[in-house]
Amino acid sequence: MTDLSAPAAPDATSDPALDEWRTYDEFAAGIDTFRLPNAALAGERVNLTLDDGTRIDLAFDTDEVTWSAGGAIQVDAGTRDPYDAVAVRDDVLFVNLPLTSREREAVTLIWSTRTRRALAVVSRIAAEPVEGTPQVTQQFLAGTLDGGEPTGSAPAPSRDLIGKRNIYRYSPNHLYEHVYLSSQRYSWQCLQGVQRGHGDTDLSTVWRFDDGLYLFCFREFRIAVASVWLHDLGYALRTTGIFLGLNGAGASEHSRAGGHIYPLGSVSYPDAQPV
């Protein structure tokens, strides 16, 4: 069992480091220490059809994927990019493409070989920041894995996490708390790490992918960074994710992430239909 213990967050009035908001590359360093191991997809061919009609065709080798996509993604046939794959469950793959074929963009794909359901997230860093709007945007598209009839419920936006409070341990030096406030916002604070004592409320999106399996994404206001996570809130209590953002030098950067989930509890809001 991973050690959950950490010193209490410091008082903001007594720690001068709290005046220094950390850059994306500073807090992301080492945040993949407790990530699940990579999956080998060399030789695999995967074809997805998204609900908007977009076709995604992928042919994997050891380190790269040759792929094409239409619709909202628009990737020419024969394009090659690196990829990162994790088997979140025996039948569920989390595959991220930190694109080198074009800048400031990542495509994250999730699919189940059992239900043949799929989900795509496109993360893009806007050319310029706009006051009051996260600089990294995200687009969400459900779909299916070709080669058989899909079963079960299609992936869809979910309110299931509203009111839940979890702690996430990503490494010996990364411990964060999340409180899911609504279908559009969550709050976080760092309990241990370079952001210790810092916290904020940011835009978030939650989709239910399968029983106990939730896509969770956030887009920060204060710095140009967004993330894509797949939370397994069933027996495993593990999370696998990626970040896309601008580092301290202003260049786009991709990072892997993952770790353990420790549920703290949940509340039911008195309003029967919270936002």
Side-chain angles (χ1 to χ4, degrees), residues 158-164 179-187 201-206 216-217 269 273-275:
S158 174
R159 301 163 60 83
D160 291 356
L161 298 192
I162 295 174
K164 293 190 182 299
V179 180
Y180 301 96
L181 302 176
S182 72
S183 60
Q184 302 175 22
R185 304 263 180 169
Y186 91 112
S187 291
T201 297
D202 289 307
L203 290 182
S204 61
T205 299
V206 174
F216 167 69
C217 301
Y269 291 103
Q273 293 295 326
V275 176

Side-chain angles (χ1 to χ4, degrees), residues 51 61 76 97 102 129-130 229 238 260 269:
D51 289 351
D61 60 26
D76 294 335
L97 279 58
R102 54 196 188 204
V130 176
W229 298 89
R238 298 294 298 264
H260 301 268
Y269 291 103

Side-chain angles (χ1 to χ4, degrees), residues 77-219:
T79 299
R80 291 181 64 82
D81 281 297
Y83 75 92
D84 165 55
V86 173
V88 175
R89 291 180 176 175
D90 289 344
D91 65 300
V92 178
L93 272 295
F94 178 100
V95 179
N96 187 60
L97 279 58
L99 302 188
T100 55
S101 59
R102 54 196 188 204
E103 294 184 355
R104 303 162 71 99
E105 190 169 330
V107 175
T108 309
L109 305 170
I110 300 163
W111 66 80
S112 168
T113 55
R114 175 179 55 85
T115 66
R116 310 203 75 78
R117 298 292 184 179
L119 188 54
V121 183
V122 182
S123 303
R124 298 185 177 98
I125 305 173
E128 298 294 337
V130 176
E131 183 69 26
T133 302
Q135 191 172 349
V136 186
T137 63
Q138 292 178 314
Q139 182 178 11
F140 305 90
L141 295 163
T144 56
L145 176 65
D146 290 4
E149 289 297 318
T151 61
S153 301
S158 174
R159 301 163 60 83
D160 291 356
L161 298 192
I162 295 174
K164 293 190 182 299
R165 183 179 178 184
N166 296 335
I167 283 180
Y168 297 84
R169 168 67 82 181
Y170 308 116
S171 81
N173 197 41
H174 288 83
L175 186 67
Y176 285 79
E177 179 182 4
H178 291 183
V179 180
Y180 301 96
L181 302 176
S182 72
S183 60
Q184 302 175 22
R185 304 263 180 169
Y186 91 112
S187 291
W188 62 272
Q189 65 167 328
C190 177
L191 302 176
Q192 185 180 20
V194 298
Q195 288 184 305
R196 184 181 173 205
H198 290 171
D200 209 347
T201 297
D202 289 307
L203 290 182
S204 61
T205 299
V206 174
W207 283 52
R208 181 185 180 278
F209 185 77
D210 203 344
D211 290 341
L213 205 54
Y214 292 90
L215 175 83
F216 167 69
C217 301
F218 69 72
R219 298 164 294 282

